[in-house]
Amino acid sequence: MLRRMLALVAALAPLVAGNPARAFSLSEIAPGVYAHQGETSLMTRENAGDIANLGAIVGDEAVAVIDTGGSLIEGRAFLAALREKTQKPIRYVINTHAHPDHTFGNGAFVETGATFVGHKNLPRALAARGPHYLSAFRAQMGDALDGVTIVAPTVTVGETLTLDLGHREIVLQAWRTAHSECDLTLLDPKSGVLFSGDLLFLQHVPVVDGSLLGFLDVADRLAAIEATQVVAGHGPVPAPWPKALEDQRAYLMRLTADLRAAIKKGEGVAAAAKDAGSEEREKWRLFDDYNARNATAGFAELEWEGP
C-alpha cells in the first residue's frame, strides 16, 4: 500500500506544481547510482523549484541521497521515484550546500529516519539564511513552497568523511569557500561517479555566492579527484570527468581577468559589472540573471588585492 501511495505522489507532483508535461525522472547512470536532472531555469511555482540535479547511491544495506530539490513537492516526488528503484533504508541525506534548490525538499525525507549530513558551515548558513530564503522564494513561488522547513544536518564534515552503505563506501569532502561557504562533494569510488554539487555548473552560468578566487582554486583541486564521470549541480548528467570542468574554468578565469583589468583602469563596480565576462555570454544560459551579480561580488573581493 505504501509503495502505491508513494508512486501516486510521484505521478501527481507535476500536476500539483502546475507542470503536467514533466514528470520526475530518476535514471541509473551507473550500477546503484541514480541521478535526476533539473531544469536549467530559475525557481518558479510552475517548476516547483526543480532546477538542481539530485542523486542517490545504493549499497548492499542502505541508501544515501544527495540533495533533495527546491520544494517539498519535489522532495516527495524524488522519494517516491527512489522507492520505485529500491526499498532499502535511506540512511543518509547529504546536502552539498545551503541553497534552496538543493535543500527545500529535505522535509520529505525526515520521516525516513535518515541522518542529515553537510559541511561544517552548513548549520550556520541555514540558520542565517534559511528564513530569508523562505520569505524571498515564497514571494515568487507561492503555494509551491507549502510545508517547506529548514532541516539542518546533525553530522557535519570538516575535511573528509567516509560513509558505509554496505560494501559501498562513499567519500565526502568539505571545501574552502568557493561557490558558497559550505560546499561539499561526494565520490563513489566503486562507480567512479563524483557528485560535485554547485562546485560545477554545466550550461547554466556558474554562480559565485562565496569567493571568486576560491572558486577558481577549488576548480583546480577538483580536477585531481579520481573519477570518471560527474553529476554537476546543474546541467546534463552525467558528464565526463575532468573534462566537464573546462568551460567553467574558462568563464571564471575570463571574469577574473576582466575585473582585474577594470580595477587597474580605475573603473567603478557598476561599470565593471556591466562588461566583465561578457565575452562568455553566448556560451551560457541564464547569463544575464547571474553574471552581473558574480562580477559585483568578484569586484569587492579583487579590489583589495595587492599591486
Side-chain angles (χ1 to χ4, degrees):
M1 175 65 72
L2 177 60
R3 185 171 182 175
R4 290 199 298 271
M5 289 177 64
L6 289 170
L8 181 61
V9 170
L12 290 178
L15 299 177
V16 175
N19 185 1
R22 186 175 187 271
F24 190 93
S25 62
L26 190 63
S27 302
E28 190 169 20
I29 61 171
V33 181
Y34 297 90
H36 168 74
Q37 182 176 323
E39 296 181 5
T40 301
S41 175
L42 302 177
M43 287 176 63
T44 65
R45 181 183 183 280
E46 288 68 32
N47 62 32
D50 182 6
I51 67 169
N53 296 339
L54 316 175
I57 299 175
V58 181
D60 286 351
E61 299 172 0
V63 181
V65 166
I66 304 97
D67 289 331
T68 59
S71 67
L72 189 60
I73 292 169
E74 186 185 5
R76 287 172 172 166
F78 182 14
L79 176 58
L82 182 57
R83 284 305 188 212
E84 289 296 309
K85 306 294 184 182
T86 178
Q87 289 294 309
K88 292 177 181 177
I90 299 171
R91 184 174 293 169
Y92 303 106
V93 172
I94 300 159
N95 287 136
T96 61
H97 60 295
H99 289 157
D101 50 325
H102 298 260
T103 61
F104 271 6
N106 280 0
F109 291 85
V110 169
E111 292 186 4
T112 68
T115 297
F116 285 75
V117 185
H119 190 287
K120 66 178 182 178
N121 293 339
L122 182 57
R124 182 179 65 200
L126 289 172
R129 295 187 174 200
H132 167 71
Y133 286 151
L134 282 171
S135 175
F137 283 92
R138 167 71 72 174
Q140 68 190 56
M141 295 178 65
D143 60 1
L145 285 195
D146 284 356
V148 171
T149 56
I150 303 300
V151 182
T154 56
V155 172
T156 60
V157 184
E159 294 183 358
T160 62
L161 176 66
T162 299
L163 301 175
D164 189 0
L165 302 177
H167 296 99
R168 188 166 212 155
E169 293 187 337
I170 56 177
V171 182
L172 282 58
Q173 184 167 352
W175 297 89
R176 62 169 289 189
T177 299
H179 163 69
S180 75
E181 73 273 37
C182 51
D183 296 311
L184 190 73
T185 58
L186 182 153
L187 175 67
D188 174 40
K190 186 172 184 177
S191 64
V193 175
L194 172 68
F195 285 84
S196 68
D198 281 6
L199 287 175
L200 176 64
F201 286 76
L202 297 172
Q203 296 182 358
H204 182 308
V205 70
V207 177
V208 182
D209 191 34
S211 165
L212 178 57
L213 295 179
F215 214 158
L216 268 171
D217 175 65
V218 168
D220 289 336
R221 296 174 184 272
L222 280 172
I225 293 177
E226 294 184 2
T228 56
Q229 54 184 347
V230 63
V231 176
H234 298 265
V237 296
W241 185 259
K243 183 176 175 58
L245 280 168
E246 292 176 359
D247 288 345
Q248 176 173 284
R249 289 188 74 255
Y251 167 77
L252 295 173
M253 290 175 68
R254 178 75 270 160
L255 182 62
T256 302
D258 287 353
L259 288 171
R260 282 176 170 153
I263 291 167
K264 186 174 182 180
K265 289 191 295 184
E267 291 184 6
V269 62
K274 181 179 178 181
D275 296 325
S278 59
E279 290 183 9
E280 292 280 313
R281 175 176 278 104
E282 299 307 315
K283 300 177 184 177
W284 298 98
R285 299 180 188 175
L286 304 179
F287 187 91
D288 292 330
D289 293 291
Y290 290 105
N291 183 68
R293 184 190 307 179
N294 292 343
T296 300
F299 188 98
E301 181 178 2
L302 295 171
E303 68 177 337
W304 296 104
E305 283 187 317

